[in-house]
Amino acid sequence: MPDDVRNVKYVIDIGPVPSLPVAGSDARFPVGRIYCVGRNYAEHAREMGHDPDREPPFFFMKPANSIVQNGATISYPVKTKDVHHEIEMVVAIGKGGKDIPAEKALEHVWGYGVGLDMTRRDVQGEAKKMGRPWEMGKAFDESAPCTALKPASSIGHPAKGAIWLKVNGQVKQQGDLAQQIWSVPEQIAYLSGMITLQPGDLIFSGTPAGVGPVKAGDKLEGHVDGVGDLTITYK
Ligand code: MN
């Protein structure tokens, strides 16, 4: 394995490295893998028909190039009639590791952002019914809008504070980070027991209740206290 990927010649053009801006900096955060935790707020687990008390955390993924920059106008996804918004705090991993204990987990976090885990709910529902993977419901083009990241060195590690989403100015999702069933350190501890976390990985840390459909022309505005504000428009 070459040490310096900048000197490697590839047989095809691999295109740009997916990345996010960093608030107050010209440097960008390179996005590696995107892990998303499911049903991490009790009210949302209930609205999806599950008992929040009995389930260990579980994760699914999105490709790095499903990232959408803050402020973008994007197309309504193909092959769906029921795209849902899920507003989430995004955790950016700066230091990799495996079997990271919860007490040490925050040392691995570089910073935080505000993201949307956009979901083709009809496609996901069909997959659930047939016992098939969720990818086509979750891991599609432009399915992961996210703000610029703010470094933990400047904002700390948010464990409480409002998280909300408005559609066309109307509040649709509202919660508090303190309502997460599995805290960020617990998510990192669990996930790093399943896979080796790498610098550049993002974790979408779950959505509060109130998920629902978007349609062409909708403006989505998301917020997490102390972390940022996200605006995405569907054309
Ligand atoms: Mn989600």
Side-chain angles (χ1 to χ4, degrees):
M1 184 73 97
D3 292 337
D4 186 347
V5 293
R6 290 168 299 189
N7 293 331
V8 176
K9 283 183 182 158
Y10 294 105
V11 294
I12 57 166
D13 178 8
I14 59 168
V17 174
S19 67
L20 285 168
V22 169
S25 168
D26 289 342
R28 297 179 69 87
F29 184 92
V31 175
R33 302 167 303 177
I34 303 176
Y35 291 92
C36 307
V37 62
R39 296 175 206 139
N40 199 32
Y41 289 74
E43 281 307 315
H44 172 61
R46 285 189 203 101
E47 76 180 348
M48 299 305 287
H50 294 267
D51 178 350
D53 297 328
R54 303 237 173 102
E55 293 182 354
F58 70 95
F59 293 85
F60 56 89
M61 295 183 73
K62 291 175 185 275
N65 65 7
S66 62
I67 283 285
V68 177
Q69 308 294 317
N70 196 2
T73 297
I74 57 177
S75 297
Y76 193 85
V78 300
K79 306 291 182 190
T80 178
K81 292 188 165 59
D82 193 25
V83 173
H84 275 204
H85 51 75
E86 296 190 0
I87 189 70
E88 316 210 351
M89 184 171 76
V90 176
V91 182
I93 299 296
K95 191 174 114 190
K98 62 197 291 191
D99 293 324
I100 301 164
E103 316 83 77
K104 300 257 180 202
L106 294 179
E107 295 171 16
H108 294 257
V109 176
W110 187 87
Y112 296 88
V114 180
L116 278 163
D117 166 16
M118 298 307 299
T119 303
R120 291 194 282 214
R121 194 70 77 201
D122 45 358
V123 175
Q124 183 199 28
E126 194 65 18
K128 284 180 182 173
K129 213 162 31 182
M130 299 179 78
R132 288 179 175 171
W134 285 12
E135 270 84 356
M136 293 301 109
K138 287 289 195 179
F140 52 94
D141 295 351
E142 301 183 312
S143 61
C146 189
T147 61
L149 301 177
K150 288 189 180 166
S153 58
S154 65
I155 65 162
H157 296 280
K160 58 179 171 22
I163 175 170
W164 52 252
L165 179 87
K166 292 178 185 173
V167 179
N168 303 326
Q170 275 202 319
V171 176
K172 295 289 185 182
Q173 293 189 258
Q174 201 160 24
D176 192 290
L177 297 175
Q179 296 165 337
Q180 291 191 345
I181 296 170
W182 301 94
S183 68
V184 169
E186 288 169 335
Q187 291 172 46
I188 291 169
Y190 187 90
L191 183 56
S192 70
M194 300 294 286
I195 53 98
T196 302
L197 273 174
Q198 295 175 4
D201 288 346
L202 299 182
I203 302 173
F204 278 57
S205 63
T207 198
V211 300
V214 302
K215 56 185 191 315
D218 281 351
K219 183 182 182 189
L220 277 56
E221 295 169 282
H223 169 91
V224 177
D225 277 358
V227 179
D229 290 277
L230 176 64
T231 304
I232 292 293
T233 305
Y234 277 89
K235 63 185 171 201

